[in-house]
Amino acid sequence: MDKYARMQRDLMLMEQNGKVSVPEPASAIVPDEKARLTFAVWGDPQIAYWSAFRSARFLAACRDLANCASPLDALILAGDITETGDASEYRMTAQILNDVCPNAFRHFLCVSGNHDVRLRNYRKQLSVFNDFIRSVPGGIPAGETRHCHGVQIKGYRFLLMGSDRATFEGAYISAKQLDWLDEQLTLCDGKPAFVVNHQTLHDINGLPQTWLGKGKWRGSVGWESDKLRAVLEKHCNVIFITGHLHYGVSAFTYEDHGAFKALSVPTVGVVNHGEETTDTQGYVLSVYDDHILARARIFGEGRYLDADRPNAEIVIPIE
Ligand SMILES: [Fe+2]
């Protein structure tokens, strides 16, 4: 039996044993008609050929999307779609999305994480990654030579970053990519722009504590962190969305740094650290003319996080 067949069998066994939750349609996401744009963001599905638990969490979260009252403008995965970058893991991810919630979102955007690119030939893995994105309806792949690319949805720019080489834990953000980001943000001319990268910056979103306190630079982009920050700080209304930390919604999740706002999204597929350890956490963002509302949601349980929890509801000002 190959890896993919084993993954299917193991998930089916989880389902038969009642270990995959089924969110109630009654508490589904209802996109606000007054919002210009509504989308969901998940960090780190990290689907692994050896873990049916991750597939089960992802499946439960997808069921919540399937219940949506109307399609979201986008589903965004903020990196580490898979654990090892194996084709079987991407196939499983796509199969769940396509079987469970094929009509839940109009666009499917992904950035790669360190687990997607590590220990692999960069070009070949980029091709595998793009094939995966293409296999999901609404998927918008990157180009043939690098992960970073821009997508326009309803007049809003999404700038999807990605390491320019196969790094193990951080990311290598080349000068070329930094120049590209700067140019793209200049074109936005102050209109809200969503920059999605797998790793956050050095020393923000609770680092190093949110990486369980190990290592000065660990958990962040790495050596190019300050250069990336300098680009973000040149502009305004930049929403910088990241994953990687596997840290539940907390006081560290959102930070307003003036020019850019840093939103660190928990993992949807793996166990979250911190005070809020519930599985399948993520965010639903509704964009209005003068603000963005980001609501933390426990997708696998079909409910928003209690509003009294830190950063359960974030109002991001648009200046
Ligand atoms: Fe990661």
Side-chain angles (χ1 to χ4, degrees), residues 172-248:
Y172 170 63
I173 309 295
S174 66
K176 199 171 165 187
Q177 184 171 173
L178 291 169
D179 286 347
W180 165 82
L181 182 65
D182 194 18
E183 282 165 19
Q184 292 289 316
L185 288 172
T186 301
L187 290 173
C188 292
D189 198 24
K191 185 160 185 175
F194 301 92
V195 176
V196 189
N197 187 61
H198 181 56
Q199 298 93 343
T200 190
L201 300 175
H202 172 56
D203 235 5
I204 73 168
N205 293 125
L207 282 176
Q209 183 182 328
T210 43
W211 193 253
L212 304 185
K214 297 171 193 161
K216 191 177 168 205
W217 289 88
R218 293 190 63 196
S220 79
V221 164
W223 301 114
E224 284 81 35
S225 181
D226 289 347
K227 289 180 193 164
L228 174 54
R229 182 175 187 138
V231 172
L232 300 177
E233 283 181 337
K234 279 174 69 179
H235 303 275
C236 66
N237 294 323
V238 176
I239 321 302
F240 182 55
I241 299 173
T242 57
H244 188 55
L245 301 180
H246 301 190
Y247 203 87

Side-chain angles (χ1 to χ4, degrees), residues 44 80 114-115 198 244:
D44 307 65
D80 281 358
N114 53 309
H115 278 268
H198 181 56
H244 188 55

Side-chain angles (χ1 to χ4, degrees), residues 142-184:
E144 289 178 10
T145 56
R146 56 186 190 159
H147 281 274
C148 69
H149 64 124
V151 176
Q152 186 102 342
I153 300 177
K154 288 187 171 173
Y156 292 91
R157 202 87 180 128
F158 289 81
L159 301 171
L160 311 173
M161 299 182 66
S163 184
D164 287 312
R165 68 166 77 120
T167 43
F168 191 77
E169 190 177 283
Y172 170 63
I173 309 295
S174 66
K176 199 171 165 187
Q177 184 171 173
L178 291 169
D179 286 347
W180 165 82
L181 182 65
D182 194 18
E183 282 165 19
Q184 292 289 316

Side-chain angles (χ1 to χ4, degrees), residues 6-75:
R6 259 201 328 266
M7 291 173 86
Q8 285 187 305
R9 180 202 61 190
D10 293 348
L11 182 57
M12 198 170 67
L13 286 172
M14 294 276 289
E15 182 86 295
Q16 285 169 356
N17 292 325
K19 297 213 168 121
V20 188
S21 60
V22 184
E24 287 292 326
S27 57
I29 298 165
V30 182
D32 182 358
E33 287 177 5
K34 293 189 196 116
R36 299 272 183 196
L37 190 71
T38 304
F39 59 93
V41 188
W42 293 345
D44 307 65
Q46 227 160 303
I47 299 297
Y49 66 83
W50 43 261
S51 170
F53 288 98
R54 295 186 186 177
S55 300
R57 293 185 192 106
F58 190 72
L59 169 56
C62 286
R63 283 178 170 160
D64 188 38
L65 291 192
N67 289 338
C68 274
S70 58
L72 300 172
D73 290 304
L75 170 64

